[in-house]
Amino acid sequence: MEASWRQVAAGRGRARGRAAAVPSSGNGDPLCGAGGGRVKGSGSAVPSGPSPGGAATLPSAGRLQRSAGGEAMQILGTSELMSQRKFEEIKKANQAAARKLVEEHCSSSEEEGDEDLEGKQGKIVANTFISYTTHTDGDIHELERTKQYVNEAFQAGAMTCLICIASVKRNQAVWSCSGCFCIFHMPCIQKWAKDSQFLVSSVTDEDFGKKDYPWPCPKCRFEYKRSETPSRYYCYCGKVEDPPLDPWLVPHSCGQVCEREFKPPCGHKCLLLCHPGPCPPCPKMVTTTCHCKKAKPVPRRCSAKQWSCQLPCGRKLLCGHHKCENPCHAGDCQPCPRVSRQKCVCGKKEAERSCASPVWHCDEVCGKTLPCGYHTCEQVCHVGACGECPRSGKRSCPCQKSKFSLPCTEDVPTCGDSCDKVLECGIHRCSQRCHRGPCETCRQEVEKQCRCGKHTKRMPCHKPYLCETKCVKMRDCQKHQCRRKCCPGNCLPCDQNCGRMLGCRNHKCPSVCHRGSCYPCPETVEVRCSCGKAKVTVPCGRERTTRPPKCKELCSRPPTCHHTSQEKHRCHFGSCPPCHQPCQKVLEKCGHLCPASCHDQALVRQTGKHQPMGPWEQPAEPAFIQTALPCPPCQVPIPVECLGKHEVSPLPCHAVGPYSCKRLCGRMLHCQNHTCMKECHKVTEVDDSTVKNKAGPECLQCEEGCSKPRPLGCPHPCVLPCHPGKCPPCVQMLRLKCHCKITSLYVECRKIATADINEKNLLSCCKNQCPKELPCGHRCKEMCHPGECPFNCNQKVKLRCPCKRIKRELPCNKIRESQVSVECDATCKEMKRKASEIKEAEANAALEEEKRRQQAELEAFENRLKGRRKKNRRRDEVAEELSLWQKYKSYLFPVFGLLGAVLVWYIAHGVA
């Protein structure tokens, strides 16, 4: 908001160029004020554009520029305009840098507002769980887990998908593990389940897609069936599909009561609204007694209804001799801890042993005589009777083919048959006779195939055959070869380490080499504030994008400006925010206090940087440095009169002095026709009572031509410069065309301007014959004249009779008026009669000729009707020869007629 005096001055049109160079400091920005101070002197001479008065005086300005002084002013104006443009660019760059700095370093007031919001959210969550902590013996651990999940759900960027290591947003579909309650993106967990099932199964398995292969949770490895693969987005309690986004609810929650069964089940359901994480311990109150049932029933939380009275248990132990001395506990009593001397089951030995295990066996052979009376029991210390003698009854020979009934004192003889037992090779049988003891090793030579099936060799049957070929199949990791010698096809699992970089980009996979994606990094990282007192634990890999926690401690760094103490603000990273305290330094020139904000650490563009070597070198980002700027110019308003005494305006203290208001001078020049067109300037007063506001010696000298109106019809300007009084008469010679448009005449302009119509016609006459043609075709006989030519042609014209024999010369105007005509005489008539007779004779001759032709055609037609004669007869006929007159008479008649007509015409003209 600018000061009122500045707004009034700007409204009156005062010093527009100076006002642009002195920005207002009402917003307390030290950068703007300092920028204005650096170009203090460059803004006062920058024109702000042409004024309405200046637009009407462009001709005079052009003449001024043609002079030496005008050229200097033009160059000065151009340089000032370039300086103003550079100033505007620097000002914009400084303002952009200031805005960027403010965005990066939030003010203390904004931090306090954020902390107040977090405090309110913490209080709301604490009030929600306060009913769970009012009674003792609650499960605090589970309750803290639930509170942590709810707090992370409200914090932006706190929940992280461990598969893609990205934040879980409010508007994204998610899935929550029922084992560890970790939240994943729906597309991520679906891809994880699909990849896990594919890797577990065999690619060549014909039943792939039909078997129910399980898939594990990426975090807790809790296994799910294939049918449990998530396909739809549900809220945490599973009641609502695609829960709508509500800013007043926990993200991804439906807002209804959870109503999930507690684990372990107690018959009650969760009473919280739909929430992430595990359900808190059951808050219901029940009346229950202790484990040993000795204490009186007391009211307790359902989640902690199992309690101990801490009295001795007193229940009889399994040994049957002692009682349990442990405090009241749940479940079975522990084994008896006492020691006593006890005999083994055969009673031969006695030793000190735990009372909890009274039955034990020694390592002595029984040795009792069997019922046969010849042999003794060979069993180790045992309970009960020894049993019958194993050599009694029917016994088989060593080859098991023959049976004998012999006393137990006699051995069973061999039967003499072949042994025929299957040897160790599993293919051949023993070829010896029935014998005691194991059979010999198979020594038959066979064609054996190696284990991998690629080579064969003849060798003893009992020796194994392994070739030296190394297996080139890929192991289950699909990265490394088996490389085992003579592999039968069942390649061993890969035993190398995976070593791939995990999604956190900090650790490598420690598992054995495997296919598919690695499990997420299990490590966690602590993100701390600048002072280290506030911290938050995030999954590994999120420390780069996680915003440090808000610290409530005040920043303890010393001030970097001249103030003794800095403004209070919270703990932060980076440099402290700019100091906004008033500078209050005493200005040297005027003694006023600097009211601008502290500018000891202003952000300015770094100068003197390396210039690019060519167009291939990319321009770098502009560098800014923090430096101390001088105090901005003093802005205290002081009233000052302009040089031309047009107005009195308040100027800033630093700009006090003679100034131009940028208006036109407006003083009357010596020509008394124009005013001074210079900008407001210093004028030496001249005492002249006749003229008000007379121009002084500093004003412009009128160099324009006379602009007074010229007489009617005079197109020439006044030859004198701008002058007072009337203009002299015009003596310029005008070039005119005469009336006939042939001759050019030169006449003085004043004669033309003062002449009437008759005199102008006389001045425009060239005194020559008019060259125009009359309608009759003859030239006009009048002298050069305006308008149409008079029709009085007296030119002699020859006139003939109708037969063209008689001719006479008469005036052209009489002939045009049809006053005179020439008639034919008797001679003409006689010649006409003779010519008609000749024509009649010619017509008769032509008629006779036509008749003869028709007669000849008739005769020829009759001859054709009588038939043709034979060819030889026609040759003998003598054709009648025609005379010359008969041959050429049809041509002679027209020739004689034409000669007669020519003779008659010649005679008629000769007579005339």
Side-chain angles (χ1 to χ4, degrees):
M1 187 70 180
E2 293 184 348
S4 59
W5 64 268
R6 183 178 295 280
Q7 295 176 355
V8 173
R12 293 166 60 186
R14 178 195 59 79
R16 289 183 291 273
R18 184 179 297 273
V22 184
S24 173
S25 60
N27 57 356
D29 191 354
L31 300 176
C32 298
R38 286 196 298 274
V39 288
K40 179 174 79 172
S42 64
S44 60
V46 179
S48 60
S51 62
T57 60
L58 290 176
S60 63
R63 296 198 178 191
L64 288 173
Q65 290 178 359
R66 284 193 295 270
S67 64
E71 293 178 357
M73 293 180 63
Q74 183 181 12
I75 296 173
L76 180 60
T78 305
S79 62
E80 291 174 349
L81 183 59
M82 293 176 62
S83 301
Q84 179 69 11
R85 290 178 180 174
K86 290 182 179 179
F87 167 74
E88 294 295 337
E89 293 177 359
I90 296 173
K91 180 180 177 182
K92 291 180 180 179
N94 290 343
Q95 289 177 353
R99 284 194 298 268
K100 183 177 180 181
L101 182 63
V102 170
E103 291 176 359
E104 291 179 352
H105 305 282
C106 300
S107 62
S108 59
S109 59
E110 294 177 354
E111 292 179 355
E112 291 174 359
D114 295 341
E115 291 171 2
D116 293 342
L117 180 60
E118 291 183 1
K120 291 180 180 179
Q121 292 180 355
K123 290 180 180 179
I124 294 174
V125 175
N127 292 334
T128 303
F129 293 99
I130 193 171
S131 60
Y132 288 85
T133 58
T134 52
H135 292 75
T136 58
D137 297 331
D139 192 351
I140 303 299
H141 176 69
E142 292 295 331
L143 186 61
E144 289 298 328
R145 284 186 62 194
T146 306
K147 290 174 64 176
Q148 179 183 357
Y149 275 98
V150 175
N151 282 327
E152 290 179 354
F154 281 111
Q155 294 177 4
M159 292 193 298
T160 305
C161 176
L162 296 180
I163 299 177
C164 63
I165 314 297
S167 299
V168 178
K169 299 181 180 179
R170 289 174 172 263
N171 57 351
Q172 294 176 336
V174 298
W175 175 82
S176 177
C177 175
S178 59
C180 61
F181 303 99
C182 189
I183 295 176
F184 305 93
H185 292 122
M186 182 63 72
C188 295
I189 194 63
Q190 289 176 345
K191 185 177 183 299
W192 177 273
K194 183 177 179 181
D195 293 346
S196 300
Q197 294 173 4
F198 179 79
L199 294 176
V200 171
S201 61
S202 175
V203 180
T204 59
D205 195 351
E206 297 179 356
D207 296 333
F208 175 68
K210 300 179 181 180
K211 295 183 180 180
D212 192 4
Y213 295 105
W215 56 273
C217 170
K219 183 178 181 181
C220 65
R221 308 296 193 270
F222 183 81
E223 291 190 350
Y224 293 88
K225 297 180 180 179
R226 182 180 180 184
S227 59
E228 295 175 346
T229 302
S231 59
R232 297 189 179 185
Y233 169 40
Y234 287 94
C235 63
Y236 295 114
C237 64
K239 294 180 181 178
V240 179
E241 181 180 355
D242 295 329
L245 179 61
D246 192 341
W248 302 104
L249 296 176
V250 179
H252 316 291
S253 171
C254 63
Q256 303 180 21
V257 180
C258 179
E259 294 185 349
R260 284 186 289 182
E261 295 286 344
F262 287 111
K263 294 181 180 180
C266 63
H268 304 125
K269 295 182 179 180
C270 181
L271 301 179
L272 289 178
L273 299 182
C274 183
H275 61 89
C279 293
C282 182
K284 291 288 186 179
M285 299 300 296
V286 295
T287 302
T288 180
T289 184
C290 65
H291 301 292
C292 63
K293 312 296 183 182
K294 294 180 180 179
K296 294 182 180 179
V298 294
R300 294 181 61 86
R301 293 277 185 186
C302 181
S303 58
K305 60 184 177 181
Q306 304 292 336
W307 61 285
S308 173
C309 64
Q310 299 302 320
L311 296 176
C313 177
R315 285 185 288 182
K316 203 167 188 178
L317 298 178
L318 295 178
C319 65
H321 301 287
H322 308 101
K323 293 183 178 180
C324 181
E325 297 177 356
N326 293 330
C328 178
H329 59 85
D332 297 334
C333 296
Q334 296 181 358
C336 182
R338 296 187 180 185
V339 178
S340 61
R341 296 191 64 84
Q342 300 177 8
K343 291 183 177 183
C344 64
V345 294
C346 66
K348 290 182 177 180
K349 289 186 178 182
E350 183 178 350
E352 289 186 357
R353 294 182 56 85
S354 173
C355 191
S357 56
V359 178
W360 65 286
H361 299 267
C362 66
D363 54 356
E364 295 288 336
V365 179
C366 179
K368 294 180 181 180
T369 303
L370 296 178
C372 67
Y374 298 106
H375 301 96
T376 57
C377 180
E378 296 179 356
Q379 298 182 22
V380 182
C381 179
H382 63 86
V383 180
C386 295
E388 296 293 333
C389 179
R391 296 171 62 91
S392 61
K394 287 187 177 183
R395 288 180 290 170
S396 300
C397 66
C399 66
Q400 304 295 325
K401 293 182 178 179
S402 302
K403 292 184 178 182
F404 301 92
S405 296
L406 297 173
C408 64
T409 57
E410 295 182 8
D411 295 330
V412 178
T414 57
C415 63
D417 198 354
S418 59
C419 179
D420 208 20
K421 289 181 181 180
V422 179
L423 300 177
E424 292 180 358
C425 65
I427 301 174
H428 306 101
R429 295 180 177 273
C430 182
S431 60
Q432 295 180 359
R433 292 186 178 275
C434 180
H435 61 87
R436 292 182 177 87
C439 298
E440 293 182 353
T441 304
C442 183
R443 299 184 182 277
Q444 295 189 24
E445 287 191 359
V446 294
E447 192 77 19
K448 297 195 71 172
Q449 191 177 25
C450 66
R451 187 168 57 183
C452 63
K454 295 182 179 180
H455 305 279
T456 57
K457 185 177 181 181
R458 190 166 188 82
M459 58 186 305
C461 183
H462 70 277
K463 292 184 179 181
Y465 176 37
L466 298 178
C467 67
E468 297 297 325
T469 304
K470 294 183 179 180
C471 181
V472 295
K473 292 184 179 179
M474 301 299 292
R475 296 192 179 185
D476 55 353
C477 64
Q478 296 298 319
K479 296 180 181 179
H480 305 102
Q481 291 183 344
C482 178
R483 307 302 294 172
R484 188 173 61 160
K485 291 184 179 180
C486 196
C487 179
N490 54 344
C491 300
L492 299 178
C494 185
D495 54 354
Q496 300 186 28
N497 289 333
C498 177
R500 286 188 292 181
M501 185 63 69
L502 298 178
C504 65
R505 300 300 177 185
N506 295 328
H507 304 96
K508 294 185 178 180
C509 181
S511 303
V512 177
C513 187
H514 58 86
R515 295 172 61 187
S517 303
C518 300
Y519 281 99
C521 182
E523 302 293 334
T524 57
V525 181
E526 289 185 354
V527 179
R528 295 179 179 270
C529 66
S530 179
C531 65
K533 295 182 179 180
K535 64 179 181 179
V536 62
T537 303
V538 297
C540 182
R542 290 287 296 174
E543 67 274 6
R544 303 183 187 91
T545 58
T546 301
R547 187 177 180 181
K550 295 290 184 180
C551 182
K552 298 182 179 180
E553 299 293 331
L554 294 178
C555 180
S556 58
R557 300 179 186 178
T560 57
C561 59
H562 66 278
H563 293 100
T564 57
S565 62
Q566 62 177 351
E567 294 177 317
K568 293 183 179 180
H569 57 278
R570 302 296 182 186
C571 172
H572 61 88
F573 286 94
S575 58
C576 292
C579 180
H580 296 288
Q581 302 180 62
C583 179
Q584 295 301 317
K585 288 182 180 180
V586 179
L587 301 177
E588 297 179 359
K589 294 183 179 181
C590 60
H592 297 117
L593 297 179
C594 179
S597 298
C598 181
H599 45 81
D600 288 349
Q601 295 291 330
L603 196 67
V604 297
R605 185 191 294 271
Q606 187 178 5
T607 57
K609 292 189 64 178
H610 171 68
Q611 296 294 333
M613 300 190 62
W616 58 85
E617 186 173 352
Q618 295 295 331
E621 292 292 332
F624 294 88
I625 58 174
Q626 286 186 342
T627 182
L629 297 179
C631 293
C634 184
Q635 302 293 332
V636 176
I638 297 177
V640 180
E641 188 177 22
C642 69
L643 294 173
K645 298 182 180 180
H646 300 107
E647 64 178 17
V648 177
S649 298
L651 294 181
C653 179
H654 74 278
V656 169
Y659 77 96
S660 173
C661 64
K662 302 302 179 181
R663 297 180 181 176
L664 297 179
C665 177
R667 292 178 180 268
M668 184 63 68
L669 300 179
H670 296 291
C671 66
Q672 297 182 5
N673 296 323
H674 302 93
T675 58
C676 180
M677 301 305 295
K678 289 178 67 176
E679 288 186 354
C680 177
H681 60 91
K682 184 179 180 180
V683 180
T684 303
E685 296 293 340
V686 179
D687 295 335
D688 190 354
S689 59
T690 60
V691 180
K692 187 179 181 181
N693 290 335
K694 188 174 181 181
E698 296 83 4
C699 293
L700 294 175
Q701 298 295 327
C702 184
E703 297 181 359
E704 296 192 19
C706 180
S707 59
K708 292 182 179 181
R710 305 297 297 160
L712 185 64
C714 179
H716 306 101
C718 182
V719 296
L720 299 178
C722 185
H723 61 88
K726 296 183 179 179
C727 299
C730 181
V731 294
Q732 293 278 353
M733 300 298 290
L734 289 179
R735 182 180 179 182
L736 303 177
K737 286 289 186 180
C738 64
H739 298 298
C740 56
K741 307 299 181 182
I742 296 177
T743 307
S744 296
L745 305 177
Y746 292 91
V747 185
E748 290 185 357
C749 179
R750 63 179 178 177
K751 292 182 180 180
I752 293 296
T754 58
D756 57 3
I757 297 177
N758 295 330
E759 292 178 351
K760 288 183 179 180
N761 292 336
L762 184 61
L763 292 174
S764 300
C765 180
C766 63
K767 310 302 182 182
N768 295 325
Q769 182 182 354
C770 179
K772 298 179 183 179
E773 283 191 0
L774 297 175
C776 62
H778 300 116
R779 181 179 177 181
C780 179
K781 300 295 184 179
E782 299 293 333
M783 192 172 57
C784 180
H785 62 86
E788 298 290 338
C789 296
F791 189 61
N792 53 356
C793 182
N794 295 323
Q795 180 75 22
K796 294 296 184 177
V797 179
K798 291 182 180 181
L799 186 65
R800 294 179 182 274
C801 66
C803 66
K804 308 296 180 179
R805 190 180 66 87
I806 304 174
K807 63 179 180 179
R808 293 181 183 179
E809 289 186 355
L810 298 172
C812 179
N813 55 353
K814 291 184 179 182
I815 295 175
R816 298 284 294 180
E817 294 174 358
S818 302
Q819 296 179 359
V820 179
S821 62
V822 178
E823 300 294 337
C824 293
D825 55 358
T827 306
C828 294
K829 292 179 181 180
E830 182 64 21
M831 292 178 66
K832 187 176 181 180
R833 184 183 62 79
K834 290 180 178 181
S836 61
E837 289 178 356
I838 292 172
K839 288 183 179 181
E840 185 178 357
E842 291 177 354
N844 293 332
L847 183 63
E848 290 294 330
E849 181 67 21
E850 181 67 21
K851 288 181 179 180
R852 282 193 294 272
R853 185 180 63 77
Q854 292 178 356
Q855 183 65 31
E857 290 179 355
L858 180 62
E859 290 176 357
F861 180 73
E862 289 177 354
N863 292 334
R864 283 196 301 269
L865 291 177
K866 292 178 180 180
R868 297 180 180 181
R869 294 181 181 180
K870 293 183 180 180
K871 191 175 182 180
N872 52 2
R873 291 181 182 182
R874 210 165 39 222
R875 292 177 180 174
D876 298 337
E877 290 182 357
V878 178
E880 182 180 0
E881 294 185 358
L882 297 178
S883 64
L884 295 175
W885 170 253
Q886 290 177 346
K887 289 181 179 181
Y888 303 109
K889 64 180 179 180
S890 60
Y891 302 104
L892 293 177
F893 282 110
V895 173
F896 291 153
L898 180 61
L899 292 174
V902 171
L903 181 63
V904 172
W905 182 82
Y906 179 75
I907 294 172
H909 282 273
V911 175

